[in-house]
Structures are given as C-alpha cells and as structure tokens.
Amino acid sequence: MKLHLNHLRTLEAEAMYIIREAYAQFENPVILFSGGKDSIVMAHIARKAFYPAKLPFPLMHIDTGHNFPETLEFRDRFVEKMETRLIVGSVQKSIDEGRAQDENGVNASRNRIQSITLLDAIEENKVDCCLGGGRRDEEKARAKERIFSHRDDFGQWDPKNQRPELWNLYNGKKSMGEHFRVFPLSNFTELDIWQYIQLENIELPSLYFAHEREVIFRNDTILANSSYLNLKPNETPVMKKVRFRTIGDLTITGAVESDADNLEMIIGEIAASRKTERGGRADDQRSETAMEDRKKEGYF
C-alpha cells in the first residue's frame, strides 16, 4: 500500500528529517527563536519530530531591546507551553560592555549589531548548530544558502565556500570553533507556511492579524510608531489598520495595510499579493546586497 502525502505533509516530513539529522550530527544545537511565524513553525515541527519526548534542545532569542511587546509576551508563553529552556542574548548588554555600538540618526536600528550578540551567545553556550527558520523564497541571499550552512571560526558565511548537498545527504563535519546554521524550512514558501499554520492550528502573535495601530510612512515602508523611532520633522503618526508579514526589530519591521484578521483572509491575501514578504523591511533596503553583507558578518 502506497502512502500519499500532500505537499504540506511532504515539506513537514523533510523538515523533521533535517531536524533529526542535525540532532544526530551535532552535540549542542539550539533553535533560533524570534517569535516570528517561521521559528514558531520550526519549533512546532521539532516538537513533533521527537514526540512524545520533550524538545531535546533549547530555544535561543537575540533580544535587541527594541522588540514589539506582543512578541516578548508570546515568546515567554510559548516557552512555557513547550516546556523547554530559553537562552536570551541581549544586544543592550553587548552595548553596555562595549562589544557593540548603537547607531545614530533618524534611521538608526539595532538590527545589524544583533550579529555580535548572536556570535557571542553561540560561543558562550558552546553551540555548534543553530536551527534557523530562514526560507529560500524570502530573499536572494537566502536562496543561495545551503540547508546545512557552514560558518567559519569567526562565525562568518562565505557563499563561495559552501559544501555540495546531493539528494538528502548533509555534511556537518566541522573544525574546532566552527559551527553550522541549519535551515529545515528552506523549501517552504510563505504561502506554504500559512497553509501549514492553518492545517496544524498553530497559535501566532497578534501582530500577524489586522489591527488598528499608530504608524508612520517612511521610504515606502509603514513603521509602527514607538519610543525607539526617531521621527523626522515632517513625520506625523496616523492610525491605520495594519498587520505584519514578518516580525523583527520595531525600528525596521514594515507593516502592510490590511483587513485580514483571520487565517483564511491572510492566505487569500498572500496568494494574491505581488509584493515580496520582506519588501517592507527597512534593513533590506539599505543596499542591493544588504542581506548577504549581514550574513557574511554572522547574521541569521
């Protein structure tokens, strides 16, 4: 008798295989957890991969200090529900210790200096594998990255020095001080993620659903107004009904105007959208190679 899987169950099975393979090959893996939908889906699949046992490795969150309050509230509740351990790397602590320097100016953000805190947390906790929720359809630099992605002794990624991945064979061999980033959701699309969330009835932060919020319009991006945002003289916050397609640092995460306040409406909106998921991220608009440059420095 043949077992027939739809495309979501096929993607889920592939992600489970990759997560189990990473657990078998590495000594001290963690799940990078932002509180966004992709890391939530990955933690959900990892829990299923080892069920009925508990998740055998902790979550790691790099806290910029400029998070949405809804994200932190959801993170703490999610960790308690998963009955797992949470490692928090603090960007503010890195700044206080002189390891990182806050940006100045109207467009200041802590997004890029997260890499310093992330690499410090990896070294401090002797992590040799970071399971990330990155997907190939998000951005062109992520499309170039392998599922088992090698990082050198300085935590840096060299796109010209990737290992071949033939069929489903993954090579986690590393030298002392090196580590890997592993991306079990690489072959999901944004639409797949939302359909999977609906299929599995996965809870998400309220930020993903349309709600009234005070925002400003800047450089084709809709930013949530907050005390972390430096307003220009001509900028006036306005109330709009918005939702977020990605969740990150408050100062760079763009919203979209939307009435989609449930999963059915969001899936319909994503299916019809001609804009990319990260099109509203101010950090990706800094240069043509912004994401790839950050990844070479050790970014997620």
Side-chain angles (χ1 to χ4, degrees):
M1 183 177 73
K2 289 186 176 179
L3 177 63
H4 295 284
L5 301 176
N6 66 26
H7 81 288
L8 294 177
R9 291 304 181 198
T10 302
L11 289 167
E12 178 193 59
E14 181 189 56
M16 280 189 185
Y17 171 78
I18 293 167
I19 292 168
R20 288 169 177 157
E21 188 71 11
Y23 185 57
Q25 292 198 35
F26 298 100
E27 295 178 357
N28 195 19
V30 298
I31 289 180
L32 295 176
F33 189 78
S34 66
K37 64 186 186 308
D38 300 312
S39 57
I40 292 169
V41 165
M42 187 170 56
H44 176 86
I45 293 176
R47 178 79 180 272
K48 291 184 72 172
F50 298 102
Y51 188 82
K54 293 180 181 177
L55 195 64
F57 32 75
L59 309 183
M60 177 186 279
H61 179 222
I62 303 303
D63 182 353
T64 65
H66 292 174
N67 292 290
F68 288 92
E70 295 96 325
T71 304
L72 296 181
E73 184 274 330
F74 181 90
R75 180 199 69 182
D76 293 342
R77 194 156 43 83
F78 186 82
V79 169
E80 185 177 351
K81 183 180 175 183
M82 293 284 282
E83 298 182 277
T84 190
R85 186 164 64 95
L86 175 69
I87 298 170
V88 178
S90 167
V91 172
Q92 183 61 54
K93 183 181 176 188
S94 300
I95 293 170
D96 293 343
E97 293 176 347
R99 296 275 300 152
Q101 186 172 2
D102 242 342
E103 292 183 351
N104 296 315
V106 173
N107 295 309
S109 165
R110 291 183 169 181
N111 192 48
R112 187 164 192 162
I113 61 176
Q114 286 185 90
S115 301
I116 297 168
T117 307
L118 171 62
L119 296 179
D120 285 349
I122 288 171
E123 185 171 352
E124 180 182 339
N125 292 281
K126 297 182 173 53
V127 172
D128 59 355
C129 169
C130 295
L131 292 148
R135 309 187 324 268
R136 289 188 172 120
D137 75 325
E138 284 183 73
E139 205 275 341
K140 54 184 180 295
R142 289 197 164 156
K144 294 165 65 175
E145 194 151 22
R146 300 285 162 82
I147 290 176
F148 269 40
S149 184
H150 173 263
R151 293 294 190 280
D152 66 17
D153 197 16
F154 300 98
Q156 297 177 330
W157 174 63
D158 182 354
K160 300 187 292 299
N161 190 32
Q162 298 188 94
R163 295 170 179 175
E165 286 185 340
L166 305 175
W167 304 287
N168 58 352
L169 300 177
Y170 303 111
N171 184 353
K173 186 174 174 55
K174 64 186 185 316
S175 300
M176 183 177 291
E178 297 175 346
H179 72 274
F180 273 76
R181 308 286 173 87
V182 172
F183 300 101
L185 306 185
S186 286
N187 291 327
F188 279 72
T189 65
E190 183 188 13
L191 187 58
D192 294 330
I193 289 288
W194 281 107
Q195 290 174 329
Y196 185 77
I197 288 167
Q198 184 183 44
L199 179 68
E200 291 285 296
N201 193 28
I202 299 172
E203 184 183 0
L204 293 178
S206 58
L207 294 164
Y208 281 112
F209 301 93
H211 57 284
E212 293 282 342
R213 198 173 199 99
E214 193 174 69
V215 300
I216 65 160
F217 289 78
R218 178 186 294 176
N219 301 329
D220 298 324
T221 299
I222 305 173
L223 295 173
N225 189 31
S226 74
S227 58
Y228 307 124
L229 208 60
N230 298 318
L231 295 182
K232 298 177 181 177
N234 63 340
E235 289 177 335
T236 303
V238 294
M239 291 298 295
K240 289 287 182 182
K241 195 170 186 179
V242 300
R243 70 176 197 86
F244 295 86
R245 290 174 70 177
T246 65
I247 291 180
D249 191 275
L250 250 169
T251 58
I252 48 90
T253 303
V256 293
E257 292 190 74
S258 172
D259 292 318
D261 58 5
N262 60 60
L263 289 175
E264 289 77 13
M265 292 178 72
I266 291 173
I267 289 170
E269 190 178 270
I270 297 296
S273 177
R274 305 303 298 170
K275 292 186 176 179
T276 64
E277 179 181 2
R278 294 183 66 94
R281 294 277 298 221
D283 50 335
D284 291 349
Q285 297 172 9
R286 292 193 170 195
S287 75
E288 181 67 20
T289 59
M291 171 66 87
E292 184 160 332
D293 292 343
R294 292 199 304 274
K295 289 179 81 68
K296 287 177 180 175
E297 296 171 353
Y299 191 73
F300 302 90

